[in-house]
Amino acid sequence: MKYALLIYQDDEQWESMSQEAHKEISREYFALRDDLKASGQYLDGQRLAPTIAATSVRRREGETLITDGPFADTKEQFAGFWIIDAPNLDEAIVAAARTPAARYGTIEVRPIMELPAGPLE
């Protein structure tokens, strides 16, 4: 089954870390990615730009509303994601726990719902 590992972290905390800490965390991510690739579990993943670069779009009563920043005002922001293929939720949780951001942020594990190839009837 496919799972999304949604990575949440505090942008301010990340920015306050040293360049060496950033490099070490990046090395850990690459090592984990390589391990998951070797086991056939890693499918995709991306890091997102900081929330200061975000734009939120809503449609209300026929009007498009555009605001700078993320929709929710929270301490942790959505920072990136990995898509993995794990045999079950327990194995997906193991992968999430190995993610460096699990030490200072939150990793949300969510099953991916497969959509049919054609139009819904």
Side-chain angles (χ1 to χ4, degrees), residues 2-117:
K2 292 180 185 172
Y3 292 89
L5 305 184
L6 306 177
I7 302 166
Y8 293 87
Q9 66 186 36
D10 182 339
D11 282 349
E12 290 180 19
Q13 181 185 24
W14 177 257
E15 291 301 320
S16 71
M17 291 180 185
S18 69
Q19 288 295 336
E20 188 54 40
H22 286 183
K23 288 178 185 176
E24 178 57 31
I25 290 168
S26 292
R27 283 190 287 270
E28 290 179 49
Y29 270 111
F30 290 130
L32 175 58
R33 181 201 60 197
D34 292 346
D35 284 350
L36 292 173
K37 276 185 173 181
S39 70
Q41 289 184 302
Y42 181 87
L43 300 177
D44 196 7
Q46 296 294 324
R47 180 170 181 220
L48 301 178
T51 56
I52 194 167
T55 301
S56 294
V57 179
R58 296 176 202 72
R59 291 278 300 164
R60 300 291 186 272
E61 299 175 12
E63 186 177 343
T64 301
L65 307 170
I66 301 169
T67 56
D68 291 337
F71 175 71
D73 184 22
T74 63
K75 183 165 180 71
E76 293 179 343
Q77 293 79 35
F78 184 44
F81 65 92
W82 284 18
I83 305 297
I84 65 169
D85 190 1
N88 55 52
L89 178 59
D90 290 337
E91 291 297 318
I93 290 170
V94 168
R98 293 178 61 200
T99 304
R103 293 193 307 267
Y104 56 86
T106 302
I107 311 302
E108 179 181 342
V109 178
R110 192 178 301 182
I112 294 177
M113 297 174 59
E114 300 285 337
L115 295 176

